[in-house]
Amino acid sequence: TNTLSSGLLKTWDYFYSSGGWDDYPPQIYVNENDLRKTAAPMITTSHAVRIGKIMKMAAMALNLHNDANESTDDTKMTSFNDVITDDWYYEFVAAAEAKGWINGDDKNNFKPNENISRQDIAVIICRAKKLYGSDKRVFDDYLSISDYAKPSVSELAQMGIVNGMGDNNFCPFKYATRAETVKILYNL
């Protein structure tokens, strides 16, 4: 599914994501994080999640934010060329890199302002939770999942943390929405 220039998904995905199976975790997230005045969980959940945002959300869900806030100046460094100290997500990215959750590309860029795929969220969560993965074929589109992500997707699916999109397909390259991301973090 391609995203629209606004960051929203196609109309079908928008309405599908804004009602039904994924409403509860986003509503809990909005209430627990006191976001009621700035977010409407029935609308904003359909936006694709940027990589920088998932780093903050994962850090908060897994208590890495304490590491980010309490680290010394020496440990607040990141090696990524495209993440600078003035970025709002800098400390979360630096802490996640120090913990070994994330890697850059072959040019040492992290691309924090790009959307994140469903398979890449699975990889980050498995690294964060120190899960080793599984090679069980859980989804019908298992062969389309990148080799580096297969163990993570399989492990999280078997644990009930991630679901397919329908017809038992995971859709690994589909951009993750906020609702999907919140549901994954909620299921941890």
Side-chain angles (χ1 to χ4, degrees):
T1 301
N2 294 325
T3 58
L4 303 171
S5 61
S6 66
L8 291 175
L9 300 177
K10 290 182 181 177
T11 306
W12 169 255
D13 290 328
Y14 179 77
F15 286 109
Y16 178 76
S17 291
S18 66
W21 67 267
D22 65 349
D23 281 353
Y24 186 68
Q27 289 176 24
I28 294 297
Y29 180 82
V30 166
N31 286 315
E32 286 180 353
N33 291 283
D34 200 26
L35 300 173
R36 288 180 303 281
K37 293 180 183 177
T38 60
M42 297 296 284
I43 297 170
T44 60
T45 58
S46 295
H47 281 85
V49 176
R50 307 252 187 250
I51 296 171
K53 180 68 174 175
I54 185 63
M55 296 318 311
K56 180 177 180 181
M57 292 170 75
M60 301 296 281
L62 299 169
N63 291 321
L64 182 64
H65 66 284
N66 292 331
D67 292 349
N69 292 334
E70 295 174 7
S71 58
T72 66
D73 287 338
D74 293 339
T75 60
K76 287 186 180 179
M77 302 294 291
T78 180
S79 66
F80 301 125
N81 297 324
D82 58 347
V83 179
I84 57 173
T85 55
D86 292 340
D87 292 332
W88 62 268
Y89 46 77
Y90 180 86
E91 289 183 7
F92 301 107
V93 171
E97 182 184 16
K99 294 274 188 185
W101 293 8
I102 55 175
N103 300 315
D105 64 15
D106 58 348
K107 295 180 182 172
N108 205 37
N109 290 314
F110 184 61
K111 301 179 182 177
N113 294 312
E114 291 189 8
N115 296 330
I116 189 166
S117 69
R118 292 168 48 84
Q119 71 177 8
D120 287 339
I121 286 180
V123 170
I124 291 169
I125 296 301
C126 272
R127 288 178 183 167
K129 296 293 283 179
K130 294 183 170 61
L131 301 172
Y132 297 103
S134 163
D135 61 359
K136 183 176 180 183
R137 293 183 181 200
V138 179
F139 297 106
D140 291 343
D141 61 350
Y142 179 81
L143 295 177
S144 69
I145 299 170
S146 297
D147 288 342
Y148 72 89
K150 284 177 182 173
S152 299
V153 171
S154 293
E155 180 74 19
L156 294 183
Q158 290 176 76
M159 295 174 70
I161 294 173
V162 298
N163 299 2
M165 297 297 296
D167 296 332
N168 200 37
N169 287 307
F170 183 69
C171 304
F173 297 101
K174 182 180 182 289
Y175 293 137
T177 65
R178 289 182 189 210
E180 292 166 339
T181 304
V182 168
K183 185 174 182 201
I184 289 168
L185 297 174
Y186 178 80
N187 286 341
L188 292 176

